[in-house]
Amino acid sequence: MKTIREQIIERIIAQLETIMGANGYHNNIGVGHVYRQESVLEQAHTPAISVWELAETRERNKYGGTIRQLTIRIEALVEVNGDKHPAEVSNELLGDIEKALIMGDMSLDEFIDDIQDIAAEVIQVPVNRKLTEILSESMSEIAHLPLNWKLAGATIDFEIRYTTEWGDPYTQ
């Protein structure tokens, strides 16, 4: 048996795998390109999305249940094709992720009370460094991904509110 939280994360990953042009999105991510707790900046290929579970707050409700608020971060990196500016592709990527999670497959609704995007940004990295060096050092001088890399990236944070029985994360 899986916790409600685990079932929510699995549904989120499945919904992100539907991001394909054939499904009405601007970018093509698809099955096999959505990771969990792995930085897409470390991946050797694009497209790639990673789902990060950040913090979860909990409080007891008046009915004896536990209201949980899970914050997740979606990190994505895609190639820029054609004459588009990377910032334009990054904004399309943000839109695709938001649409997939909020307006996509409504089966996520059976587990959650609410989902809301709370922060978004274009991924930024030092322009004079290799991607592998970025992750191990502090980012004091940052700029957008260099244009000649033909990559666009974005992060978007969501708060997901769901309720479980008090002391039982397996039951709603």
Side-chain angles (χ1 to χ4, degrees):
M1 175 185 283
K2 295 181 180 181
T3 64
I4 301 300
R5 175 178 168 148
E6 182 63 23
Q7 293 178 63
I8 290 169
I9 296 299
E10 287 177 353
R11 296 267 176 106
I12 286 170
I13 290 169
Q15 285 182 219
L16 292 170
E17 289 178 334
T18 68
I19 297 176
M20 297 289 297
N23 294 332
Y25 295 99
H26 290 281
N27 292 281
N28 289 304
I29 306 297
V31 177
H33 297 280
V34 180
Y35 305 92
R36 187 171 179 182
Q37 305 288 117
E38 295 181 42
S39 178
V40 298
L41 295 177
E42 293 178 346
Q43 301 299 321
H45 61 280
T46 59
I49 288 182
S50 186
V51 178
W52 293 89
E53 297 167 58
L54 301 180
E56 183 177 85
T57 60
R58 301 168 180 186
E59 67 180 67
R60 197 164 184 178
N61 67 17
K62 63 182 177 180
Y63 305 106
T66 301
I67 300 170
R68 299 165 187 259
Q69 188 158 308
L70 172 64
T71 303
I72 64 166
R73 173 167 291 150
I74 308 298
E75 181 181 86
L77 190 66
V78 296
E79 290 183 23
V80 176
N81 296 315
D83 294 334
K84 288 186 177 181
H85 190 281
E88 179 182 357
V89 176
S90 292
N91 284 318
E92 290 172 347
L93 189 54
L94 287 171
D96 286 349
I97 294 165
E98 183 177 350
K99 181 180 174 184
L101 294 187
I102 294 178
M103 301 304 294
D105 177 7
M106 297 304 187
S107 67
L108 184 60
D109 290 352
E110 74 180 89
F111 292 114
I112 66 171
D113 301 323
D114 188 38
I115 182 170
Q116 180 61 51
D117 55 314
I118 57 169
E121 67 180 321
V122 172
I123 291 177
Q124 298 178 326
V125 297
V127 292
N128 59 351
R129 292 242 151 88
K130 294 179 185 174
L131 287 175
T132 53
E133 294 173 352
I134 294 164
L135 301 169
S136 62
E137 296 180 15
S138 67
M139 295 187 206
S140 56
E141 293 182 34
I142 57 175
H144 293 286
L145 289 166
L147 293 174
N148 61 340
W149 285 4
K150 291 294 196 178
L151 296 175
T155 61
I156 185 168
D157 294 352
F158 290 89
E159 284 182 347
I160 300 168
R161 194 178 69 229
Y162 66 104
T163 306
T164 62
E165 299 250 347
W166 183 76
D168 184 2
Y170 298 94
T171 307
Q172 286 186 290

